[in-house]
Amino acid sequence: MQKKLIALAAAGMLSAPAMAQMNVTIYGVVDAYAKSTWGDGKRSTGVDSGGENGSRLGFRGSEDLGNGLKAVFDLQFGSIPVETGGGLTTTRTAFVGLAGDFGTLVAGRIQPAGYFESYYFDPAMAHFFSPVQRLQKGIAARGVGASINTGWNAAARQNNAINYQSPSFGGLKASLTYGFGEQNSGSRQGFSSVGLDYTNGPLKAGYVYQGINNIAGTSTDQREHFIGASYDFGMVSVLGSWQSARVTGSGFSSETDKVWSVGAKFKLGSATEILLGYANADVDAADGDGKGYTIGAIYALSKRTHLYGGYGRVVNGDATSRFNWREDFAIANGKAVNTLGFGIDHKF
């Protein structure tokens, strides 16, 4: 018996260094909110998930390989409808790669630079009441919508992709992504993205280029640009963005659609933040423009738990109904849609 105990102790001592080099974290978000959406004589009221952040469950980790080199991975599952119990329905991100002094290089399902830059400079911080997100989804409708956004359409994430993120050079970081498409056809979809992010004290700025060739195996291409900036004065932060999406291809007339936004965030004490924003969509199609307004608030019960609420309104041009709040119901051309809600978000 004593020999067995000694052997077990020795085995534990031998395995301890290897275990110490491995770091795995379980993390996630649980988010639910009550909302009412109305317009064109219609109304939808209920409880939904993901008003501040999409509910998710993730596993991330790293292993120290020595000489400053690490193996890294992240498996993140989401679209968890906490109000219905539908379970894990999608993979948000899934990648594995290497990190070191050279930066980080990974492969898998990737959130490219546009996903993050769109969030940084959205006055409503991608909450359910954000008009920027609705207008981004609606522009370039004959392509895939704006793929530079925080994920309200699938193009915000890329399958079969490789991503490189550079270290910081005086506050400047670069992100490069290429998605292969891997379609079994003569005209295969390809995705490329270049992102630059600059932070210097209270100033933050970003630029993103994204190109999608042969959308869904067709000869239609889309080119996008995004510029955003913010400045933190202390109690007040001002921010704004501009982006464009141009669709070209056989059988399609060229169309360049643009979205711009301005807004401010006001800090009331250490726990409360008020959000104000305006966004405008300039669409090439006649009478296809849109605009939106928002006001919201976030109250931090702790670093991990937030209460939030807000109101948003989008107004469609006379000849379009493309700008809607997550398509709760169909509306006629030229109609406005409003949404009001309150929720809770907890991170673990």
Side-chain angles (χ1 to χ4, degrees), residues 68-107:
L69 187 65
K70 295 189 297 183
V72 295
F73 75 90
D74 194 345
L75 301 173
Q76 187 182 117
F77 307 98
S79 298
I80 306 172
V82 298
E83 76 280 11
T84 63
L88 298 171
T89 58
T90 63
T91 300
R92 294 173 58 93
T93 60
F95 61 76
V96 63
L98 297 172
D101 294 338
F102 61 89
T104 303
L105 180 64
V106 299

PDB file of all heavy atoms in Angstrom, residues 68-107:
ATOM      1  N   GLY A  68       8.604  31.779 -25.411  1.00  0.00           N
ATOM      2  CA  GLY A  68       7.630  32.811 -25.730  1.00  0.00           C
ATOM      3  C   GLY A  68       6.522  32.382 -26.670  1.00  0.00           C
ATOM      4  O   GLY A  68       5.699  33.211 -27.081  1.00  0.00           O
ATOM      5  N   LEU A  69       6.482  31.103 -27.033  1.00  0.00           N
ATOM      6  CA  LEU A  69       5.473  30.597 -27.963  1.00  0.00           C
ATOM      7  C   LEU A  69       4.357  29.886 -27.205  1.00  0.00           C
ATOM      8  O   LEU A  69       4.614  29.136 -26.262  1.00  0.00           O
ATOM      9  CB  LEU A  69       6.126  29.629 -28.947  1.00  0.00           C
ATOM     10  CG  LEU A  69       5.248  29.129 -30.106  1.00  0.00           C
ATOM     11  CD1 LEU A  69       4.865  30.279 -31.020  1.00  0.00           C
ATOM     12  CD2 LEU A  69       5.974  28.026 -30.875  1.00  0.00           C
ATOM     13  N   LYS A  70       3.090  30.131 -27.617  1.00  0.00           N
ATOM     14  CA  LYS A  70       1.940  29.495 -26.990  1.00  0.00           C
ATOM     15  C   LYS A  70       1.013  28.928 -28.056  1.00  0.00           C
ATOM     16  O   LYS A  70       0.867  29.501 -29.132  1.00  0.00           O
ATOM     17  CB  LYS A  70       1.145  30.500 -26.144  1.00  0.00           C
ATOM     18  CG  LYS A  70       1.878  31.055 -24.950  1.00  0.00           C
ATOM     19  CD  LYS A  70       0.938  31.861 -24.072  1.00  0.00           C
ATOM     20  CE  LYS A  70       0.394  33.066 -24.809  1.00  0.00           C
ATOM     21  NZ  LYS A  70      -0.478  33.897 -23.915  1.00  0.00           N
ATOM     22  N   ALA A  71       0.394  27.802 -27.726  1.00  0.00           N
ATOM     23  CA  ALA A  71      -0.733  27.301 -28.513  1.00  0.00           C
ATOM     24  C   ALA A  71      -2.006  27.886 -27.915  1.00  0.00           C
ATOM     25  O   ALA A  71      -2.159  27.930 -26.689  1.00  0.00           O
ATOM     26  CB  ALA A  71      -0.787  25.783 -28.478  1.00  0.00           C
ATOM     27  N   VAL A  72      -2.924  28.385 -28.761  1.00  0.00           N
ATOM     28  CA  VAL A  72      -4.146  29.025 -28.278  1.00  0.00           C
ATOM     29  C   VAL A  72      -5.347  28.437 -29.014  1.00  0.00           C
ATOM     30  O   VAL A  72      -5.243  27.986 -30.161  1.00  0.00           O
ATOM     31  CB  VAL A  72      -4.106  30.558 -28.498  1.00  0.00           C
ATOM     32  CG1 VAL A  72      -3.016  31.186 -27.655  1.00  0.00           C
ATOM     33  CG2 VAL A  72      -3.921  30.902 -29.964  1.00  0.00           C
ATOM     34  N   PHE A  73      -6.494  28.443 -28.330  1.00  0.00           N
ATOM     35  CA  PHE A  73      -7.726  28.001 -28.969  1.00  0.00           C
ATOM     36  C   PHE A  73      -8.911  28.715 -28.335  1.00  0.00           C
ATOM     37  O   PHE A  73      -8.840  29.234 -27.223  1.00  0.00           O
ATOM     38  CB  PHE A  73      -7.913  26.479 -28.850  1.00  0.00           C
ATOM     39  CG  PHE A  73      -8.339  26.024 -27.483  1.00  0.00           C
ATOM     40  CD1 PHE A  73      -9.691  25.926 -27.142  1.00  0.00           C
ATOM     41  CD2 PHE A  73      -7.401  25.691 -26.517  1.00  0.00           C
ATOM     42  CE1 PHE A  73     -10.084  25.518 -25.876  1.00  0.00           C
ATOM     43  CE2 PHE A  73      -7.786  25.274 -25.255  1.00  0.00           C
ATOM     44  CZ  PHE A  73      -9.132  25.191 -24.928  1.00  0.00           C
ATOM     45  N   ASP A  74     -10.015  28.764 -29.074  1.00  0.00           N
ATOM     46  CA  ASP A  74     -11.267  29.329 -28.569  1.00  0.00           C
ATOM     47  C   ASP A  74     -12.418  28.627 -29.274  1.00  0.00           C
ATOM     48  O   ASP A  74     -12.478  28.599 -30.508  1.00  0.00           O
ATOM     49  CB  ASP A  74     -11.329  30.831 -28.832  1.00  0.00           C
ATOM     50  CG  ASP A  74     -12.436  31.526 -28.037  1.00  0.00           C
ATOM     51  OD1 ASP A  74     -13.321  30.829 -27.518  1.00  0.00           O
ATOM     52  OD2 ASP A  74     -12.414  32.764 -27.949  1.00  0.00           O
ATOM     53  N   LEU A  75     -13.323  28.039 -28.493  1.00  0.00           N
ATOM     54  CA  LEU A  75     -14.541  27.412 -29.005  1.00  0.00           C
ATOM     55  C   LEU A  75     -15.714  28.128 -28.356  1.00  0.00           C
ATOM     56  O   LEU A  75     -15.911  28.031 -27.144  1.00  0.00           O
ATOM     57  CB  LEU A  75     -14.577  25.921 -28.672  1.00  0.00           C
ATOM     58  CG  LEU A  75     -13.418  25.076 -29.207  1.00  0.00           C
ATOM     59  CD1 LEU A  75     -13.501  23.663 -28.641  1.00  0.00           C
ATOM     60  CD2 LEU A  75     -13.423  25.041 -30.722  1.00  0.00           C
ATOM     61  N   GLN A  76     -16.473  28.867 -29.157  1.00  0.00           N
ATOM     62  CA  GLN A  76     -17.562  29.682 -28.613  1.00  0.00           C
ATOM     63  C   GLN A  76     -18.878  29.329 -29.310  1.00  0.00           C
ATOM     64  O   GLN A  76     -18.991  29.453 -30.525  1.00  0.00           O
ATOM     65  CB  GLN A  76     -17.249  31.169 -28.807  1.00  0.00           C
ATOM     66  CG  GLN A  76     -18.245  32.091 -28.136  1.00  0.00           C
ATOM     67  CD  GLN A  76     -17.931  33.556 -28.389  1.00  0.00           C
ATOM     68  OE1 GLN A  76     -18.700  34.274 -29.003  1.00  0.00           O
ATOM     69  NE2 GLN A  76     -16.764  33.995 -27.896  1.00  0.00           N
ATOM     70  N   PHE A  77     -19.841  28.896 -28.516  1.00  0.00           N
ATOM     71  CA  PHE A  77     -21.150  28.482 -29.031  1.00  0.00           C
ATOM     72  C   PHE A  77     -22.198  29.491 -28.580  1.00  0.00           C
ATOM     73  O   PHE A  77     -22.166  29.963 -27.450  1.00  0.00           O
ATOM     74  CB  PHE A  77     -21.494  27.087 -28.521  1.00  0.00           C
ATOM     75  CG  PHE A  77     -20.417  26.081 -28.786  1.00  0.00           C
ATOM     76  CD1 PHE A  77     -19.503  25.744 -27.793  1.00  0.00           C
ATOM     77  CD2 PHE A  77     -20.288  25.502 -30.027  1.00  0.00           C
ATOM     78  CE1 PHE A  77     -18.486  24.828 -28.035  1.00  0.00           C
ATOM     79  CE2 PHE A  77     -19.277  24.587 -30.287  1.00  0.00           C
ATOM     80  CZ  PHE A  77     -18.371  24.249 -29.289  1.00  0.00           C
ATOM     81  N   GLY A  78     -23.107  29.828 -29.470  1.00  0.00           N
ATOM     82  CA  GLY A  78     -24.022  30.904 -29.137  1.00  0.00           C
ATOM     83  C   GLY A  78     -25.403  30.751 -29.702  1.00  0.00           C
ATOM     84  O   GLY A  78     -25.857  29.647 -30.011  1.00  0.00           O
ATOM     85  N   SER A  79     -26.044  31.923 -29.863  1.00  0.00           N
ATOM     86  CA  SER A  79     -27.455  31.985 -30.242  1.00  0.00           C
ATOM     87  C   SER A  79     -28.292  31.118 -29.318  1.00  0.00           C
ATOM     88  O   SER A  79     -29.146  30.351 -29.750  1.00  0.00           O
ATOM     89  CB  SER A  79     -27.642  31.565 -31.702  1.00  0.00           C
ATOM     90  OG  SER A  79     -26.962  32.431 -32.559  1.00  0.00           O
ATOM     91  N   ILE A  80     -28.012  31.240 -28.012  1.00  0.00           N
ATOM     92  CA  ILE A  80     -28.737  30.450 -27.016  1.00  0.00           C
ATOM     93  C   ILE A  80     -30.026  31.179 -26.668  1.00  0.00           C
ATOM     94  O   ILE A  80     -30.006  32.220 -26.011  1.00  0.00           O
ATOM     95  CB  ILE A  80     -27.893  30.258 -25.746  1.00  0.00           C
ATOM     96  CG1 ILE A  80     -26.521  29.669 -26.090  1.00  0.00           C
ATOM     97  CG2 ILE A  80     -28.622  29.369 -24.753  1.00  0.00           C
ATOM     98  CD1 ILE A  80     -25.562  29.630 -24.932  1.00  0.00           C
ATOM     99  N   PRO A  81     -31.178  30.688 -27.110  1.00  0.00           N
ATOM    100  CA  PRO A  81     -32.442  31.365 -26.811  1.00  0.00           C
ATOM    101  C   PRO A  81     -32.893  31.066 -25.386  1.00  0.00           C
ATOM    102  O   PRO A  81     -33.649  30.132 -25.136  1.00  0.00           O
ATOM    103  CB  PRO A  81     -33.398  30.787 -27.860  1.00  0.00           C
ATOM    104  CG  PRO A  81     -32.852  29.424 -28.143  1.00  0.00           C
ATOM    105  CD  PRO A  81     -31.358  29.506 -27.958  1.00  0.00           C
ATOM    106  N   VAL A  82     -32.416  31.871 -24.438  1.00  0.00           N
ATOM    107  CA  VAL A  82     -32.702  31.577 -23.035  1.00  0.00           C
ATOM    108  C   VAL A  82     -34.191  31.675 -22.726  1.00  0.00           C
ATOM    109  O   VAL A  82     -34.659  31.138 -21.719  1.00  0.00           O
ATOM    110  CB  VAL A  82     -31.914  32.520 -22.096  1.00  0.00           C
ATOM    111  CG1 VAL A  82     -30.426  32.322 -22.288  1.00  0.00           C
ATOM    112  CG2 VAL A  82     -32.285  33.975 -22.333  1.00  0.00           C
ATOM    113  N   GLU A  83     -34.947  32.358 -23.604  1.00  0.00           N
ATOM    114  CA  GLU A  83     -36.380  32.507 -23.346  1.00  0.00           C
ATOM    115  C   GLU A  83     -37.183  31.295 -23.808  1.00  0.00           C
ATOM    116  O   GLU A  83     -38.356  31.137 -23.442  1.00  0.00           O
ATOM    117  CB  GLU A  83     -36.903  33.780 -24.031  1.00  0.00           C
ATOM    118  CG  GLU A  83     -37.097  33.687 -25.531  1.00  0.00           C
ATOM    119  CD  GLU A  83     -35.790  33.846 -26.298  1.00  0.00           C
ATOM    120  OE1 GLU A  83     -34.713  33.825 -25.662  1.00  0.00           O
ATOM    121  OE2 GLU A  83     -35.845  33.977 -27.532  1.00  0.00           O
ATOM    122  N   THR A  84     -36.580  30.400 -24.630  1.00  0.00           N
ATOM    123  CA  THR A  84     -37.318  29.245 -25.131  1.00  0.00           C
ATOM    124  C   THR A  84     -36.647  27.909 -24.825  1.00  0.00           C
ATOM    125  O   THR A  84     -37.262  26.866 -24.984  1.00  0.00           O
ATOM    126  CB  THR A  84     -37.495  29.348 -26.658  1.00  0.00           C
ATOM    127  OG1 THR A  84     -36.203  29.329 -27.292  1.00  0.00           O
ATOM    128  CG2 THR A  84     -38.238  30.617 -27.041  1.00  0.00           C
ATOM    129  N   GLY A  85     -35.385  27.926 -24.426  1.00  0.00           N
ATOM    130  CA  GLY A  85     -34.702  26.670 -24.134  1.00  0.00           C
ATOM    131  C   GLY A  85     -34.315  25.906 -25.378  1.00  0.00           C
ATOM    132  O   GLY A  85     -34.297  24.676 -25.376  1.00  0.00           O
ATOM    133  N   GLY A  86     -33.987  26.606 -26.453  1.00  0.00           N
ATOM    134  CA  GLY A  86     -33.644  25.935 -27.696  1.00  0.00           C
ATOM    135  C   GLY A  86     -32.256  25.334 -27.731  1.00  0.00           C
ATOM    136  O   GLY A  86     -31.914  24.628 -28.672  1.00  0.00           O
ATOM    137  N   GLY A  87     -31.423  25.608 -26.743  1.00  0.00           N
ATOM    138  CA  GLY A  87     -30.094  25.021 -26.675  1.00  0.00           C
ATOM    139  C   GLY A  87     -29.075  25.753 -27.526  1.00  0.00           C
ATOM    140  O   GLY A  87     -29.341  26.802 -28.101  1.00  0.00           O
ATOM    141  N   LEU A  88     -27.861  25.186 -27.612  1.00  0.00           N
ATOM    142  CA  LEU A  88     -26.788  25.763 -28.410  1.00  0.00           C
ATOM    143  C   LEU A  88     -27.099  25.521 -29.883  1.00  0.00           C
ATOM    144  O   LEU A  88     -27.159  24.378 -30.330  1.00  0.00           O
ATOM    145  CB  LEU A  88     -25.449  25.123 -28.044  1.00  0.00           C
ATOM    146  CG  LEU A  88     -24.976  25.316 -26.600  1.00  0.00           C
ATOM    147  CD1 LEU A  88     -23.748  24.456 -26.328  1.00  0.00           C
ATOM    148  CD2 LEU A  88     -24.667  26.765 -26.326  1.00  0.00           C
ATOM    149  N   THR A  89     -27.290  26.582 -30.642  1.00  0.00           N
ATOM    150  CA  THR A  89     -27.742  26.427 -32.021  1.00  0.00           C
ATOM    151  C   THR A  89     -26.697  26.797 -33.059  1.00  0.00           C
ATOM    152  O   THR A  89     -26.839  26.437 -34.215  1.00  0.00           O
ATOM    153  CB  THR A  89     -29.001  27.283 -32.273  1.00  0.00           C
ATOM    154  OG1 THR A  89     -28.693  28.659 -31.986  1.00  0.00           O
ATOM    155  CG2 THR A  89     -30.142  26.841 -31.367  1.00  0.00           C
ATOM    156  N   THR A  90     -25.649  27.536 -32.688  1.00  0.00           N
ATOM    157  CA  THR A  90     -24.635  27.922 -33.666  1.00  0.00           C
ATOM    158  C   THR A  90     -23.251  27.916 -33.021  1.00  0.00           C
ATOM    159  O   THR A  90     -23.110  27.938 -31.797  1.00  0.00           O
ATOM    160  CB  THR A  90     -24.880  29.339 -34.227  1.00  0.00           C
ATOM    161  OG1 THR A  90     -24.772  30.291 -33.162  1.00  0.00           O
ATOM    162  CG2 THR A  90     -26.244  29.448 -34.884  1.00  0.00           C
ATOM    163  N   THR A  91     -22.238  27.899 -33.884  1.00  0.00           N
ATOM    164  CA  THR A  91     -20.857  28.110 -33.457  1.00  0.00           C
ATOM    165  C   THR A  91     -20.484  29.542 -33.807  1.00  0.00           C
ATOM    166  O   THR A  91     -20.419  29.906 -34.986  1.00  0.00           O
ATOM    167  CB  THR A  91     -19.903  27.136 -34.162  1.00  0.00           C
ATOM    168  OG1 THR A  91     -20.290  25.798 -33.851  1.00  0.00           O
ATOM    169  CG2 THR A  91     -18.470  27.371 -33.708  1.00  0.00           C
ATOM    170  N   ARG A  92     -20.256  30.368 -32.797  1.00  0.00           N
ATOM    171  CA  ARG A  92     -19.896  31.762 -33.053  1.00  0.00           C
ATOM    172  C   ARG A  92     -18.479  31.852 -33.591  1.00  0.00           C
ATOM    173  O   ARG A  92     -18.241  32.466 -34.622  1.00  0.00           O
ATOM    174  CB  ARG A  92     -20.045  32.579 -31.767  1.00  0.00           C
ATOM    175  CG  ARG A  92     -21.486  32.710 -31.276  1.00  0.00           C
ATOM    176  CD  ARG A  92     -21.538  33.378 -29.913  1.00  0.00           C
ATOM    177  NE  ARG A  92     -20.937  34.695 -29.910  1.00  0.00           N
ATOM    178  CZ  ARG A  92     -21.614  35.833 -30.115  1.00  0.00           C
ATOM    179  NH1 ARG A  92     -22.912  35.796 -30.341  1.00  0.00           N
ATOM    180  NH2 ARG A  92     -21.003  36.997 -30.083  1.00  0.00           N
ATOM    181  N   THR A  93     -17.540  31.284 -32.868  1.00  0.00           N
ATOM    182  CA  THR A  93     -16.154  31.213 -33.330  1.00  0.00           C
ATOM    183  C   THR A  93     -15.569  29.873 -32.924  1.00  0.00           C
ATOM    184  O   THR A  93     -15.990  29.263 -31.931  1.00  0.00           O
ATOM    185  CB  THR A  93     -15.275  32.335 -32.735  1.00  0.00           C
ATOM    186  OG1 THR A  93     -15.282  32.219 -31.307  1.00  0.00           O
ATOM    187  CG2 THR A  93     -15.777  33.699 -33.136  1.00  0.00           C
ATOM    188  N   ALA A  94     -14.590  29.431 -33.686  1.00  0.00           N
ATOM    189  CA  ALA A  94     -13.880  28.198 -33.350  1.00  0.00           C
ATOM    190  C   ALA A  94     -12.535  28.244 -34.070  1.00  0.00           C
ATOM    191  O   ALA A  94     -12.491  28.207 -35.303  1.00  0.00           O
ATOM    192  CB  ALA A  94     -14.681  26.974 -33.782  1.00  0.00           C
ATOM    193  N   PHE A  95     -11.455  28.369 -33.303  1.00  0.00           N
ATOM    194  CA  PHE A  95     -10.147  28.445 -33.954  1.00  0.00           C
ATOM    195  C   PHE A  95      -9.060  27.889 -33.049  1.00  0.00           C
ATOM    196  O   PHE A  95      -9.221  27.764 -31.837  1.00  0.00           O
ATOM    197  CB  PHE A  95      -9.811  29.891 -34.360  1.00  0.00           C
ATOM    198  CG  PHE A  95      -9.731  30.878 -33.217  1.00  0.00           C
ATOM    199  CD1 PHE A  95      -8.628  30.909 -32.369  1.00  0.00           C
ATOM    200  CD2 PHE A  95     -10.759  31.780 -33.001  1.00  0.00           C
ATOM    201  CE1 PHE A  95      -8.547  31.824 -31.324  1.00  0.00           C
ATOM    202  CE2 PHE A  95     -10.685  32.697 -31.963  1.00  0.00           C
ATOM    203  CZ  PHE A  95      -9.584  32.720 -31.127  1.00  0.00           C
ATOM    204  N   VAL A  96      -7.937  27.568 -33.677  1.00  0.00           N
ATOM    205  CA  VAL A  96      -6.744  27.111 -32.968  1.00  0.00           C
ATOM    206  C   VAL A  96      -5.535  27.679 -33.697  1.00  0.00           C
ATOM    207  O   VAL A  96      -5.567  27.869 -34.920  1.00  0.00           O
ATOM    208  CB  VAL A  96      -6.681  25.567 -32.905  1.00  0.00           C
ATOM    209  CG1 VAL A  96      -6.571  24.964 -34.308  1.00  0.00           C
ATOM    210  CG2 VAL A  96      -5.537  25.093 -32.014  1.00  0.00           C
ATOM    211  N   GLY A  97      -4.477  27.992 -32.950  1.00  0.00           N
ATOM    212  CA  GLY A  97      -3.303  28.560 -33.592  1.00  0.00           C
ATOM    213  C   GLY A  97      -2.166  28.785 -32.629  1.00  0.00           C
ATOM    214  O   GLY A  97      -2.107  28.181 -31.545  1.00  0.00           O
ATOM    215  N   LEU A  98      -1.280  29.691 -33.002  1.00  0.00           N
ATOM    216  CA  LEU A  98      -0.075  29.978 -32.236  1.00  0.00           C
ATOM    217  C   LEU A  98       0.024  31.472 -31.959  1.00  0.00           C
ATOM    218  O   LEU A  98      -0.385  32.299 -32.780  1.00  0.00           O
ATOM    219  CB  LEU A  98       1.169  29.527 -33.005  1.00  0.00           C
ATOM    220  CG  LEU A  98       1.305  28.030 -33.282  1.00  0.00           C
ATOM    221  CD1 LEU A  98       2.488  27.785 -34.206  1.00  0.00           C
ATOM    222  CD2 LEU A  98       1.453  27.246 -31.986  1.00  0.00           C
ATOM    223  N   ALA A  99       0.582  31.815 -30.799  1.00  0.00           N
ATOM    224  CA  ALA A  99       0.784  33.203 -30.407  1.00  0.00           C
ATOM    225  C   ALA A  99       2.182  33.373 -29.843  1.00  0.00           C
ATOM    226  O   ALA A  99       2.715  32.475 -29.181  1.00  0.00           O
ATOM    227  CB  ALA A  99      -0.254  33.628 -29.372  1.00  0.00           C
ATOM    228  N   GLY A 100       2.765  34.528 -30.122  1.00  0.00           N
ATOM    229  CA  GLY A 100       4.106  34.817 -29.620  1.00  0.00           C
ATOM    230  C   GLY A 100       4.440  36.274 -29.839  1.00  0.00           C
ATOM    231  O   GLY A 100       3.561  37.110 -30.074  1.00  0.00           O
ATOM    232  N   ASP A 101       5.733  36.588 -29.796  1.00  0.00           N
ATOM    233  CA  ASP A 101       6.167  37.962 -30.011  1.00  0.00           C
ATOM    234  C   ASP A 101       5.792  38.469 -31.394  1.00  0.00           C
ATOM    235  O   ASP A 101       5.664  39.683 -31.620  1.00  0.00           O
ATOM    236  CB  ASP A 101       7.679  38.069 -29.821  1.00  0.00           C
ATOM    237  CG  ASP A 101       8.108  37.804 -28.385  1.00  0.00           C
ATOM    238  OD1 ASP A 101       7.251  37.951 -27.487  1.00  0.00           O
ATOM    239  OD2 ASP A 101       9.284  37.445 -28.171  1.00  0.00           O
ATOM    240  N   PHE A 102       5.593  37.561 -32.346  1.00  0.00           N
ATOM    241  CA  PHE A 102       5.250  37.925 -33.720  1.00  0.00           C
ATOM    242  C   PHE A 102       3.784  38.320 -33.861  1.00  0.00           C
ATOM    243  O   PHE A 102       3.375  38.867 -34.891  1.00  0.00           O
ATOM    244  CB  PHE A 102       5.531  36.743 -34.656  1.00  0.00           C
ATOM    245  CG  PHE A 102       4.710  35.516 -34.325  1.00  0.00           C
ATOM    246  CD1 PHE A 102       3.455  35.327 -34.887  1.00  0.00           C
ATOM    247  CD2 PHE A 102       5.202  34.558 -33.437  1.00  0.00           C
ATOM    248  CE1 PHE A 102       2.700  34.202 -34.583  1.00  0.00           C
ATOM    249  CE2 PHE A 102       4.446  33.440 -33.122  1.00  0.00           C
ATOM    250  CZ  PHE A 102       3.195  33.270 -33.695  1.00  0.00           C
ATOM    251  N   GLY A 103       2.956  38.015 -32.859  1.00  0.00           N
ATOM    252  CA  GLY A 103       1.521  38.234 -32.934  1.00  0.00           C
ATOM    253  C   GLY A 103       0.771  36.933 -32.727  1.00  0.00           C
ATOM    254  O   GLY A 103       1.269  36.030 -32.041  1.00  0.00           O
ATOM    255  N   THR A 104      -0.399  36.806 -33.349  1.00  0.00           N
ATOM    256  CA  THR A 104      -1.227  35.610 -33.214  1.00  0.00           C
ATOM    257  C   THR A 104      -1.709  35.166 -34.587  1.00  0.00           C
ATOM    258  O   THR A 104      -2.222  35.973 -35.374  1.00  0.00           O
ATOM    259  CB  THR A 104      -2.451  35.880 -32.324  1.00  0.00           C
ATOM    260  OG1 THR A 104      -2.011  36.338 -31.042  1.00  0.00           O
ATOM    261  CG2 THR A 104      -3.276  34.621 -32.135  1.00  0.00           C
ATOM    262  N   LEU A 105      -1.551  33.890 -34.896  1.00  0.00           N
ATOM    263  CA  LEU A 105      -1.988  33.316 -36.161  1.00  0.00           C
ATOM    264  C   LEU A 105      -2.884  32.123 -35.867  1.00  0.00           C
ATOM    265  O   LEU A 105      -2.465  31.170 -35.203  1.00  0.00           O
ATOM    266  CB  LEU A 105      -0.780  32.869 -36.989  1.00  0.00           C
ATOM    267  CG  LEU A 105      -1.078  32.249 -38.362  1.00  0.00           C
ATOM    268  CD1 LEU A 105      -1.734  33.283 -39.281  1.00  0.00           C
ATOM    269  CD2 LEU A 105       0.187  31.680 -38.983  1.00  0.00           C
ATOM    270  N   VAL A 106      -4.157  32.177 -36.338  1.00  0.00           N
ATOM    271  CA  VAL A 106      -5.123  31.126 -36.050  1.00  0.00           C
ATOM    272  C   VAL A 106      -5.871  30.750 -37.314  1.00  0.00           C
ATOM    273  O   VAL A 106      -5.895  31.511 -38.301  1.00  0.00           O
ATOM    274  CB  VAL A 106      -6.124  31.561 -34.957  1.00  0.00           C
ATOM    275  CG1 VAL A 106      -5.407  31.864 -33.647  1.00  0.00           C
ATOM    276  CG2 VAL A 106      -6.949  32.755 -35.411  1.00  0.00           C
ATOM    277  N   ALA A 107      -6.547  29.592 -37.267  1.00  0.00           N
ATOM    278  CA  ALA A 107      -7.361  29.127 -38.387  1.00  0.00           C
ATOM    279  C   ALA A 107      -8.645  28.521 -37.845  1.00  0.00           C
ATOM    280  O   ALA A 107      -8.665  27.901 -36.778  1.00  0.00           O
ATOM    281  CB  ALA A 107      -6.598  28.096 -39.218  1.00  0.00           C
TER     282      ALA A 107
END
